[in-house]
Amino acid sequence: MFAKPYKLKSTNTLKNSEKKHLIQRLEKGFPSVNEEKLKEIVPNKSTCNFMKLVLHSGETTGVYAVDGVPMIIDTGETLVPTVCALWKVPDLIPTIVIHSPVLSKVQGGVPLYAPGVVTDPTSFPRFNKGSLLAVCTDNNAAAAIVGRAMMSSGNLLIASMGTCLEVLHVIGDNLCKELKFNKIERPKLQHGLNVNSVIQDMDQLNLQVKEEWPSLVPETPVVNEPRLIPDNVTDNKIIEEIQNFEDTIAECSDTEESIPSDMDGLLRWCLLSFLKIHGKDVELPLKTNLLYKNYLMSLCPPDRSIDVKKSSFKKMGKFLEAMQREGLVEVKEIEKGVDALVSVQISHPAVRSHTAVKPTVSAPVLEYQPPVVRELYCITAHVLELFLPLKKGTPLPANEVRRTVREYVKSKQLDAGRGSVKIDATLAKATGIKEQTLTKWDELMAGLLSHMTASTELVFADGTSRLIKTRIDPIQMQVFTRSGNKKVTLVSNLEAFGFVLPTLAQECQRAVAASCGVTRSAGASHDQLMLQGDQTHFMAKLLIEKYGLPKKYLDGADKALNKKK
C-alpha cells in the first residue's frame, strides 16, 4: 500500500469526542481485545492527527497518527493496525512467523510465499482467508509486516507454494519514512516459539526415519563423478570420450535456449524475457498495448516477428488472461475498456528458469505516430429497425449512416422532392419527428444522429484500436502560477492519444532546456505533463507540426501558435 510514494491531501487534529469514536470503532473491529489495551494505542492524553493520503494507485486512504507515530490505517471499510500499534498490543491480530531473510525480500516488493512461513502445528494461529495478519521473524517477535491472508491457516499448513499474504504495510516503507513522524525503530522482543528447537527435532525425526526405512530407490552412480582412468586406456579413447561429453553439453544448452517455433510459444517466450529483464524496474500499472509495443516486440529475436493476431489467442487480452491463470502476471481494468498490468511475479519458477538475452543492438526509436481518430455513431434501440440486419451497438461513420438512410428513403419512396423527406413510422421512431411530416434532409440527419451514441475510434500505429463510447476530450494546456510568481504548464489527456508521458517529458526537457516531469494533481484522474514556464506555444508546435495532431484535438491551438515565444 505504501511501497510507492503518496501525496498528503489534508491533515486534521482529532477532538476528544472523535478519539472516543475511534476507540469504539476499534472495539467493534477487534472484539477480542479489551478497552484498556486499546487505550494504549490511543491514550486519552495524547495528540491524535488524521491524515488523508492519495496513494500512487489513485486510491484515498487515511492514517491516524498518535504523538507523531502512525498507529491505525483507515481503508474506509476496515481499520488496519500498523506495526507500531502491534508493538504495543501484540495480540490485536493473529501473528505468524517467517524466516528472517524473507523480510528483506518483502521490503523489496516481493510477495510473501508459503515456503517462507515457519509452520509449527503446535503453536500456529487459526484464521480464515481475508483476515488481518501480523508477521514477525524467527529472530524477533516484534511485528514487521501487516497484511491480509490469501489462504486460511489450514491451507497454509499444508501448502507447498503460492502467495499467502497481501502485504498492506511493512516496516521501512514510505509510511515509516514520513518526515512528520518520529524515527521508527523496530524493538527487539523475545520469541515464545523456539524455532531452533523445532528444527532440531525435525532433524532428529528425519535421521530416525532414514535409519529405520532405507530408500527404496536403487542407488545410481553420479554421471559426472570423477573416476580413475586405467593406464592401459589409449589416449585416443580418452579424447573420444571428452568429445562425446562436450557434444552432450552443447546439445543440452541448445535445448534450454531454444526459441519456440509456434506463435503462442514465442509470445510466452517474449513475456518471460520481459519479466526476467524488466520485471524489477518496470513502472506499474503498464497498459497492455504499451507492453506489446514497447517491450514484447523489442525482445523478439531479430530473425523472428511476433503478431498476436496470428496466434490462437487472436487478442492481447486473451493471451494475458492465460498468463494470469498461469500465475505470471495480474491484469486489471484501470479505465473503462483499458486493461493494464498491475502486478508481475518475477519469482515464478518459469521466470527463474528462463534464459533471456538482452538485445545487443538497441532498436531504433520509432517516431510517435498519432492515432487515426474516427468519429462514429453506435446503433441504439431507437434506430435499430432502420439498420437491420446490423446489431445494437455497431459503430458506423456518418457517411455510412447517411447512405443507409438514403437507400431506405428510396426503397420506401419517401422522397417528397426539393430536398424534403416524408416521415414514416420507422423514421419517426428513429428521429423523434412526428409521422407524416415533411422534413429537410439536414433536420432528418440531425434528429437521427441525436438518437445514436456518439463514439470515437482510435486506430494506433501498431494496428491496435480502441472504441470509446463518447466524444474524446481534446488535449488541454493550462498555465498556473505557483509560489514565487513561477509559472508552470500542465498538459492533460495526452495518454488518450497514445503518448508515452515519460518519453515525451524527456524530449520536452531537452528541447526547452527546462524541467519537465509527469505528475497528477489532486483533482485529476490521469497523469499530466508539467513543464516549467509558459510552454503552450512550444507544446502546440510540437504536437501539431511534428506529430501531426489535428488542431481540433488540441484545446486553444490557434491562440497558442500565435503567441510569441
Side-chain angles (χ1 to χ4, degrees):
M1 186 179 290
F2 304 102
K4 295 185 178 181
Y6 55 82
K7 295 180 182 179
L8 178 62
K9 189 174 183 180
S10 63
T11 179
N12 297 316
T13 304
L14 298 186
K15 302 177 182 178
N16 290 333
S17 58
E18 293 173 331
K19 286 196 291 186
K20 291 180 181 178
H21 178 65
L22 175 60
I23 294 177
Q24 291 175 357
R25 290 184 63 189
L26 289 172
E27 290 179 353
K28 291 181 180 179
F30 309 99
S32 61
V33 182
N34 54 33
E35 184 178 356
E36 295 180 359
K37 288 188 176 182
L38 293 177
K39 286 185 178 180
E40 295 181 13
I41 300 176
V42 188
N44 293 330
K45 296 181 180 180
S46 62
T47 303
C48 187
N49 298 324
F50 177 71
M51 301 190 311
K52 188 173 288 187
L53 308 177
V54 179
L55 302 179
H56 186 271
S57 61
E59 300 177 358
T60 303
T61 189
V63 174
Y64 291 95
V66 180
D67 293 333
V69 178
M71 286 294 181
I72 301 295
I73 303 169
D74 190 356
T75 62
E77 299 177 355
T78 57
L79 296 178
V80 180
T82 65
V83 292
C84 304
L86 295 172
W87 296 340
K88 292 192 173 184
V89 186
D91 55 348
L92 194 62
I93 56 178
T95 303
I96 61 176
V97 184
I98 61 174
H99 301 286
S100 54
V102 178
L103 177 58
S104 60
K105 303 295 182 182
V106 177
Q107 289 174 331
V110 178
L112 179 59
Y113 295 103
V117 181
V118 179
T119 53
D120 179 20
T122 59
S123 59
F124 200 74
R126 294 185 179 181
F127 51 85
N128 297 323
K129 181 180 179 181
S131 303
L132 291 176
L133 284 183
V135 181
C136 65
T137 55
D138 54 6
N139 59 356
N140 190 355
I145 306 172
V146 181
R148 200 178 302 276
M150 298 186 68
M151 58 178 68
S152 63
S153 56
N155 292 333
L156 181 55
L157 283 172
I158 61 176
S160 59
M161 62 183 299
T163 306
C164 62
L165 188 76
E166 177 191 0
V167 178
L168 302 177
H169 166 53
V170 59
I171 184 72
D173 59 9
N174 286 279
L175 182 64
C176 296
K177 297 176 183 178
E178 175 64 47
L179 297 177
K180 293 180 178 293
F181 300 145
N182 298 329
K183 187 177 180 181
I184 300 174
E185 294 183 359
R186 184 185 176 200
K188 186 72 175 178
L189 301 180
Q190 288 292 341
H191 238 299
L193 171 65
N194 190 356
V195 182
N196 295 327
S197 65
V198 174
I199 295 174
Q200 291 175 1
D201 294 342
M202 292 298 292
D203 291 341
Q204 293 175 2
L205 180 60
N206 291 336
L207 183 61
Q208 293 175 1
V209 171
K210 187 174 182 180
E211 291 177 353
E212 294 178 2
W213 300 95
S215 175
L216 297 178
V217 181
E219 295 184 0
T220 56
V222 182
V223 176
N224 296 327
E225 185 178 0
R227 57 190 176 88
L228 292 175
I229 301 177
D231 296 336
N232 57 355
V233 179
T234 60
D235 295 339
N236 293 333
K237 191 170 184 180
I238 297 173
I239 295 173
E240 185 180 352
E241 289 186 3
I242 293 175
Q243 289 177 351
N244 293 336
F245 180 70
E246 290 177 350
D247 294 341
T248 305
I249 293 177
E251 290 177 1
C252 294
S253 61
D254 292 341
T255 304
E256 290 176 357
E257 297 180 1
S258 61
I259 301 173
S261 58
D262 61 312
M263 188 58 64
D264 291 2
L266 183 60
L267 278 170
R268 185 178 181 274
W269 187 90
C270 293
L271 180 66
L272 291 175
S273 300
F274 159 73
L275 296 176
K276 189 83 171 185
I277 299 173
H278 304 287
K280 293 183 180 179
D281 53 4
V282 67
E283 185 176 353
L284 299 176
L286 176 65
K287 294 182 180 178
T288 55
N289 63 329
L290 300 181
L291 168 68
Y292 181 76
K293 177 182 177 181
N294 298 342
Y295 292 100
L296 299 190
M297 293 181 68
S298 62
L299 291 171
C300 183
D303 57 337
R304 301 284 299 277
S305 61
I306 61 171
D307 188 356
V308 70
K309 293 182 180 179
K310 294 181 180 179
S311 67
S312 62
F313 303 105
K314 302 301 181 183
K315 294 183 179 180
M316 193 66 180
K318 295 288 183 64
F319 166 66
L320 291 177
E321 283 180 7
M323 297 300 100
Q324 184 170 346
R325 289 193 297 269
E326 194 173 336
L328 291 170
V329 297
E330 182 180 359
V331 182
K332 286 185 180 179
E333 187 178 14
I334 57 174
E335 300 174 18
K336 189 175 181 180
V338 180
D339 293 336
L341 233 66
V342 297
S343 177
V344 295
Q345 297 293 345
I346 58 177
S347 58
H348 194 280
V351 180
R352 292 200 303 265
S353 61
H354 180 70
T355 304
V357 180
K358 293 185 179 180
T360 54
V361 181
S362 59
V365 179
L366 299 177
E367 289 284 342
Y368 165 77
Q369 297 179 8
V372 178
V373 183
R374 299 176 62 201
E375 294 183 350
L376 304 177
Y377 296 88
C378 291
I379 299 176
T380 60
H382 289 280
V383 303
L384 181 60
E385 186 177 352
L386 193 62
F387 293 94
L388 291 175
L390 297 179
K391 296 181 180 180
K392 180 181 175 182
T394 304
L396 296 172
N399 59 350
E400 184 68 20
V401 175
R402 182 181 291 273
R403 186 185 64 81
T404 304
V405 174
R406 285 190 179 277
E407 291 179 356
Y408 178 81
V409 171
K410 185 178 179 180
S411 63
K412 298 294 183 180
Q413 298 180 355
L414 299 176
D415 192 354
R418 295 183 180 182
S420 300
V421 177
K422 185 178 180 181
I423 304 298
D424 64 351
T426 302
L427 291 177
K429 180 181 178 182
T431 60
I433 303 174
K434 291 183 179 180
E435 194 174 349
Q436 303 298 327
T437 305
L438 294 179
T439 307
K440 296 292 183 183
W441 272 102
D442 292 342
E443 297 178 0
L444 172 65
M445 289 301 301
L448 178 64
L449 295 178
S450 66
H451 284 75
M452 302 179 72
T453 304
S455 306
T456 306
E457 183 186 39
L458 299 177
V459 182
F460 296 93
D462 59 352
T464 59
S465 62
R466 182 167 55 135
L467 181 65
I468 306 172
K469 292 295 184 69
T470 183
R471 285 285 178 255
I472 189 171
D473 294 330
I475 296 173
Q476 294 184 348
M477 299 182 295
Q478 296 174 300
V479 180
F480 295 94
T481 303
R482 299 292 173 89
S483 59
N485 200 25
K486 295 180 180 179
K487 293 183 178 180
V488 295
T489 304
L490 283 178
V491 188
S492 308
N493 205 35
L494 284 165
E495 287 183 321
F497 291 86
F499 282 100
V500 181
L501 295 190
T503 306
L504 186 62
Q506 293 178 0
E507 180 180 357
C508 295
Q509 186 171 353
R510 289 193 299 266
V512 300
S515 63
C516 179
V518 181
T519 183
R520 181 181 294 189
S521 57
S525 58
H526 302 286
D527 289 339
Q528 302 164 307
L529 202 67
M530 185 173 68
L531 296 88
Q532 185 180 5
D534 185 354
Q535 305 294 348
T536 52
H537 174 81
F538 163 75
M539 288 302 303
K541 194 171 182 180
L542 178 71
L543 297 176
I544 294 173
E545 295 183 5
K546 181 177 180 179
Y547 292 133
L549 194 72
K551 284 186 179 181
K552 67 178 182 178
Y553 297 116
L554 182 62
D555 196 8
D558 294 329
K559 181 180 178 181
L561 289 173
N562 295 331
K563 187 182 295 185
K564 293 182 179 180
K565 293 184 181 179

